[in-house]
Amino acid sequence: MNLVFALLMGTIFGTVLVKSEVASWFRIQKMFRFEEAHMFLIIGSAVAVGVLSIVLIKKLGLRTLAGEEVTIRDKPYQKGVVIGGIIFGAGWVITGACPGPIYAQIGSGEYWALCSFIGAFCGAYLYALLRPRLPH
Amino acid sequence: METLTQPWPWYVAGPLIGLTVPALLLLVGKPFGISSSFRHLASMCSPKTRVAYLRDNDWRGELWSLVFVLGVIIGAFFAAHYLSNSAVHLLPDHYRQWSGGLRLFIGGLFVGFGTRYADGCTSGHSIMGLSNLKWPSLLATACFFIGGMVSIFVLDALFPMP
């Protein structure tokens, strides 16, 4: 049942990424050049709705569909937040896509985005191999 | 139908993306995040690996993540083919050749490596982490933008626009 909901929500999310052009290289360029507010307004309003919904979940003590307590894994500070974050920012500019939009570009028929996907897969593998030697 | 086939405005798209957070938490019981799918795919493809990061990763328990990104692909296909009047162009023309493919691959390497090192991407840190009011996620988001703005500056210097 969980997987059915995951598929459904992924489908809605993918539709939104394409229809709002969040998955567009052109929009990402305009965001990083501060030429239009579109992306900032989307991220801002998404976070506002997200904050509100988490406050509500905690206040009302809502439980998951399976009846479990809602838990959110902590992502504590480590040096990778800064170093990895900057590296990802560069990748975001070059590909015109963060991870979700890479999948969305492929689905929409931009098949050259498969290069971005293969790169991201290799990048994750590279991190796995180098992880013991990287500062954290 | 006309309004659906036009590009959607921010005040529709933003809240819909924000609602992904409670929807996943309540219906699937998982915090929102997409870049971990790269790790799960890498674990799935190397069942006998001795690399700790991939070996000690219960990708079967996180199968929802791979199903979710499959949904993203399906949703994007649907949006491009049934909710758009004209052809959807998300990449510039100069990327549709092998030199562009190489640039996308290198950019992808940065995306995969960087998001795993930072333990999250725009969804995991900028949407989920900020929604949960976590300062490391705010720092991560600031770093995403610093890295992006610096590379725009460097790329403009290396490849001047005609």
Side-chain angles (χ1 to χ4, degrees), chain A residues 51-135:
Chain A
V51 169
L52 201 68
S53 55
I54 290 190
V55 167
L56 277 176
I57 285 174
K58 287 181 178 166
K59 270 243 166 16
L60 301 174
L62 295 182
R63 291 183 160 257
T64 69
L65 201 63
E68 288 160 0
E69 210 170 315
V70 173
T71 49
I72 303 168
R73 178 179 73 93
D74 232 9
K75 294 184 173 183
Y77 172 77
Q78 40 97 10
K79 294 191 183 79
V81 168
V82 172
I83 309 168
I86 290 173
I87 295 173
F88 162 51
W92 194 0
V93 163
I94 299 170
T95 58
C98 42
I102 289 180
Y103 294 107
Q105 288 180 350
I106 294 168
S108 77
E110 288 283 12
Y111 296 119
W112 282 97
L114 279 166
C115 298
S116 313
F117 171 74
I118 296 166
F121 179 85
C122 295
Y125 224 105
L126 193 66
Y127 171 71
L129 293 173
L130 295 179
R131 185 176 147 92
R133 291 186 213 169
L134 293 169

Side-chain angles (χ1 to χ4, degrees), chain A residues 9 46 49-50 53, chain B residues 14-24:
Chain A
M9 271 176 287
V49 170
S53 55
Chain B
L16 279 175
I17 292 172
L19 283 175
T20 311
V21 169
L24 276 173

Side-chain angles (χ1 to χ4, degrees), chain A residues 19 25 65 94 103 110 135, chain B residues 8 26 37 83 90 95 117 156:
Chain A
K19 287 312 298 178
W25 179 89
L65 201 63
I94 299 170
Y103 294 107
E110 288 283 12
Chain B
W8 295 358
L26 295 175
S37 63
L83 286 179
L90 301 176
Y95 271 17
Y117 196 3
D156 279 354

Side-chain angles (χ1 to χ4, degrees), chain A residues 9-11 19-20 25 33-34 45-47 50 65 74-75 78 84 89 94 98 103-104 107 110 119-120 125 128 135, chain B residues 4-5 8 14 23 26 37-38 46 71-72 76-77 83 90-91 95-96 103 108-109 117 119 122 126 134 144 149 156:
Chain A
M9 271 176 287
T11 306
K19 287 312 298 178
S20 63
W25 179 89
R33 293 175 192 278
F34 296 96
S45 56
V47 171
L65 201 63
D74 232 9
K75 294 184 173 183
Q78 40 97 10
I94 299 170
C98 42
Y103 294 107
E110 288 283 12
Y125 224 105
Chain B
L4 277 181
T5 53
W8 295 358
L26 295 175
S37 63
F38 300 135
S46 34
V72 173
F77 177 88
L83 286 179
L90 301 176
L91 288 175
Y95 271 17
R96 295 198 189 85
R103 278 169 78 170
L109 272 179
Y117 196 3
D119 197 17
T122 333
S126 307
K134 295 293 181 194
F144 300 165
M149 287 183 313
D156 279 354

Side-chain angles (χ1 to χ4, degrees), chain B residues 24-55:
Chain B
L24 276 173
L25 281 175
L26 295 175
L27 298 176
V28 185
K30 296 288 180 183
F32 183 37
I34 292 183
S35 64
S36 48
S37 63
F38 300 135
R39 180 189 186 182
H40 302 320
L41 281 171
S43 286
M44 191 175 84
C45 294
S46 34
K48 291 191 179 143
T49 182
R50 287 156 73 182
V51 178
Y53 187 68
L54 303 179
R55 182 195 60 206

